[in-house]
Amino acid sequence: MVKLTPLQETRLLVKVSKMYYEEGLSQDDIISRLNLSRSKVSRLLQQSRNEGIVQITVVTPEHSFSELERRLEKKYGLHEALVVETREGDSQESVIREIGAAAAGFLERSVNAAAVVGISWGSTLHSMVTALHSNRLPKTTVVQIIGGLGQPEAEVHATDLCHRLARSLRSQLILLPAPGIVATEKARDILLDDPYVKRAVEMFNRLDIVFVGVGAPTPNSLLLRDGSILSRSELDSLRKKGAVGDIALRFFDAQGKPIQSEIDRRVIGITLEQLKRAQRVVGVAGGAEKFEAILGALRGGLINVLITDSVNAEKLLQ
């Protein structure tokens, strides 16, 4: 091919670019119509981008928070952040519903065919499981990472959530057949000797992805709802020790460090150190009362994926 002058080269760049980007022709169509080689067409398309003749812009749709997510990921070293739109004054029920739906979508695209999936308990995870579509992942295993808390028939009960998640995924299921908290440390040790409890606990070190709620020790907490989990005095004691939040009843302070207490020694479930060993720990939480708890979990590296609301996301960046 005869060497083109700079003006001819520019004209060819524009022609090829318009055919490819505006007319929607394939490279094969352009090769045929202009009698150019494949390497020449590829080079011209790359050159048109390098020289600014073609400028590709990704337009962020309304109600999308990609920049907010990117900044959260950078600031807290997250694998991923997912932010849903909320406004100051939105009800907690509304926030939970939106975050749960987003978490369901994340789970559906993130859990592969042979994953070991852990799940804790709580209202937001209940919303996530409710929003899931039916799937078929028979080689996936769902693991209950904390014993049952509250009334066994409650929808937010860990055992019920595990059953429903496994049904949605049509996966294998390993339950932790014990209460989440017992009266004494001795009672916990006896239950940990049960072979079925041992089987579940052994799975804690094999978790690929874990979905956890992030709780806050407030008067409205599920922990106080029916008096069967913690008493008001126990919760007050934890707050005096600096507790700002909990994951699976493991309390932590504002820097994400574990709170040592007599209560901790009565819990049957995953520890914060075990939790950190999972490849992905997905914190699913939002609402005004959860800000300090989410911040503590992020500071302590207790979660490496965050699904939350836009109001909390903005505050976390301040």
Side-chain angles (χ1 to χ4, degrees):
M1 184 176 180
V2 177
K3 183 174 176 62
L4 300 178
T5 66
L7 179 58
Q8 290 172 326
E9 182 83 7
T10 299
R11 285 175 175 166
L12 185 59
L13 275 173
V14 173
K15 181 183 287 289
V16 169
S17 299
K18 283 183 173 292
M19 292 172 74
Y20 187 74
Y21 290 105
E22 292 184 358
E23 298 176 35
L25 299 181
S26 68
Q27 290 194 31
D28 286 337
D29 293 332
I30 297 169
I31 289 166
S32 176
R33 286 178 57 169
L34 300 183
N35 195 29
L36 298 172
S37 67
R38 182 173 296 278
S39 60
K40 177 69 172 178
V41 171
S42 295
R43 183 184 65 77
L44 288 170
L45 289 171
Q46 183 61 52
Q47 187 179 343
S48 68
R49 292 193 293 272
N50 293 343
E51 295 184 7
I53 292 171
V54 171
Q55 298 180 6
I56 299 174
T57 302
V58 177
V59 178
T60 301
E62 189 180 1
H63 310 304
S64 177
F65 297 92
S66 58
E67 178 60 20
L68 206 56
E69 292 164 353
R70 185 193 65 79
R71 289 168 60 202
L72 283 170
E73 289 160 4
K74 183 177 180 180
K75 180 169 184 175
Y76 293 104
L78 297 172
H79 291 305
E80 187 171 349
L82 192 58
V83 176
V84 301
E85 183 175 28
T86 54
R87 295 178 177 84
E88 293 279 3
D90 280 358
S91 69
Q92 185 67 9
E93 291 76 16
S94 172
V95 173
I96 285 172
R97 186 170 57 251
E98 293 298 323
I99 294 175
F106 177 86
L107 186 153
E108 287 166 353
R109 69 172 166 83
S110 301
V111 173
N112 61 42
V116 180
V117 183
I119 185 171
S120 61
W121 77 299
S123 299
T124 315
L125 293 180
H126 159 64
S127 180
M128 177 189 80
V129 172
T130 300
L132 282 173
H133 298 98
S134 182
N135 209 323
R136 185 169 181 81
L137 297 171
K139 293 183 179 179
T140 291
T141 303
V142 171
V143 179
Q144 181 179 344
I145 64 169
I146 182 168
L149 294 168
Q151 298 176 5
E153 65 273 16
E155 291 181 322
V156 298
H157 195 277
T159 307
D160 184 64
L161 285 178
C162 284
H163 273 296
R164 290 167 55 211
L165 177 56
R167 281 199 299 270
S168 291
L169 300 180
R170 285 184 272 183
S171 66
Q172 301 174 52
L173 173 64
I174 294 182
L175 295 174
L176 179 57
I181 186 168
V182 291
T184 65
E185 188 175 348
K186 183 177 180 181
R188 182 204 65 175
D189 292 341
I190 291 170
L191 285 166
L192 287 175
D193 269 340
D194 178 87
Y196 293 104
V197 172
K198 279 184 176 180
R199 181 180 70 149
V201 171
E202 286 168 359
M203 293 297 294
F204 294 169
N205 294 319
R206 296 175 52 192
L207 296 169
D208 297 309
I209 186 167
V210 191
F211 291 84
V212 298
V214 182
T218 67
N220 297 323
S221 171
L222 274 176
L223 298 174
L224 296 179
R225 190 128 326 159
D226 64 5
S228 66
I229 304 173
L230 292 178
S231 67
R232 177 64 65 88
S233 62
E234 287 174 324
L235 205 62
D236 288 343
S237 172
L238 287 162
R239 293 179 68 176
K240 286 177 182 177
K241 290 176 180 289
V244 300
D246 82 282
I247 292 175
L249 220 55
R250 303 295 186 179
F251 287 85
F252 53 85
D253 65 17
Q255 301 304 317
K257 295 179 180 178
I259 297 290
Q260 304 298 325
S261 72
E262 176 268 341
I263 292 166
D264 190 62
R265 295 188 290 274
R266 295 193 279 120
V267 173
I268 299 175
I270 198 167
T271 67
L272 295 179
E273 284 305 310
Q274 288 173 317
L275 190 69
K276 286 183 176 181
R277 295 184 198 132
Q279 295 176 23
R280 291 281 192 282
V281 182
V282 186
V284 185
E289 292 186 343
K290 297 293 183 76
F291 171 70
E292 287 188 1
I294 296 169
L295 180 58
L298 289 170
R299 284 173 171 167
L302 304 178
I303 59 178
N304 53 33
V305 175
L306 174 64
I307 303 176
T308 193
D309 61 274
S310 56
V311 175
N312 269 316
E314 293 280 7
K315 290 173 68 177
L316 288 166
L317 290 168
Q318 290 173 7

